[in-house]
Amino acid sequence: MAADFKTAQPVEYYRRFLKEDVRPDGRELGEIRHTTLNIGSITTAEGSALVKLGNTTVICGIKAELCNPTAEEPKKGFVVPNVDLPPLCSPRFRPGPPSEQAQVVSQLMADIIENSGVVALEDLCIVEGKLCWVLYCDMMCLDYDGNVVDACVISLLAALKNVLLPEVTVSEETGSPETDMEKKLPLNIRKCPVATTFGVFDDHYLFTDPTNEEECLATGVLTVVTTEDNKICLMHKPGGTALSESRLQDCINRALTRAEEVRKLIDETINSVER
């Protein structure tokens, strides 16, 4: 009976729960789904991480290649993020070119990398004007149940912290690069951005970490990305319900708390692997 009512009138079904300050999956409005992290999952990558946020699962693999820096920025390397939302993760995605949502999330990742300064592009330069690293950060969603942005950011940050690059020297005789696979160095991670996404329901109720079902019913979505110095490096709100100043501040405060939890999870996971 409840399942039929949910199918026939999903909005009213949610209203009945939200009036009691609880969601149909049993979570409180501000409660985030259980988050698990595994790093070094892809042995062929320079760095990798697998994140589960509830049922939403994202894996990030980072491959490094040598290339030439641009003439305009001869002292900088490159970080190139890409998010793939394939049909295998959800029936809402179709085979073919990247969906609009995949393109939007890919651009969000690029903006977060640039705005936060998680990796200084100067650190990727090997020989000014001649040789640098390009990091291809590929994130693939294996199971989509909403809030893919938060999962992608966690997987990206954890994978970057897992990266080991071989030492590179340039031969004086041939002028060609030589890599020493015996000597590998980690990236210098300068900032640790973490995203927290909120959904607005009925222009009134505010909930954290929306599921796929909640995203479809939401009248607005807001993503807040913060760094460890409590600064906002990005806010993304693609239209929808307007938020008052007090509600916006509430979202920022919750995002700061969540960010601390995520950074602790990443550090604990990395430390457990190193032991």
Side-chain angles (χ1 to χ4, degrees), residues 25 108 144 149 159 167 174 177 195 220 238-239:
D25 61 7
L108 261 179
Y144 186 96
V149 172
E167 191 176 88
T174 63

Side-chain angles (χ1 to χ4, degrees), residues 187-246:
L187 286 175
N188 181 11
I189 304 299
R190 295 175 180 257
K191 293 289 181 183
C192 297
V194 177
T196 307
T197 298
F198 304 87
V200 184
F201 182 81
D202 258 1
D203 299 339
H204 174 67
Y205 298 101
L206 187 69
F207 46 78
T208 314
D209 180 27
T211 61
N212 178 42
E213 200 171 69
E214 290 168 343
E215 282 181 348
C216 294
L217 297 174
T219 52
V221 176
L222 168 70
T223 299
V224 180
V225 185
T226 60
T227 50
E228 64 270 40
D229 50 6
N230 289 347
K231 290 185 178 177
I232 299 169
C233 75
L234 184 137
M235 291 182 75
H236 178 68
K237 189 177 184 303
T241 303
L243 291 175
S244 65
E245 190 175 332
S246 60

Side-chain angles (χ1 to χ4, degrees), residues 95-106:
S99 64
E100 183 181 349
Q101 185 176 355
Q103 294 178 56
V104 168
V105 179
S106 293

Side-chain angles (χ1 to χ4, degrees), residues 139-150:
M139 288 151 273
M140 176 180 283
C141 183
L142 305 178
D143 191 351
Y144 186 96
D145 188 25
N147 198 9
V148 75
V149 172
D150 290 13

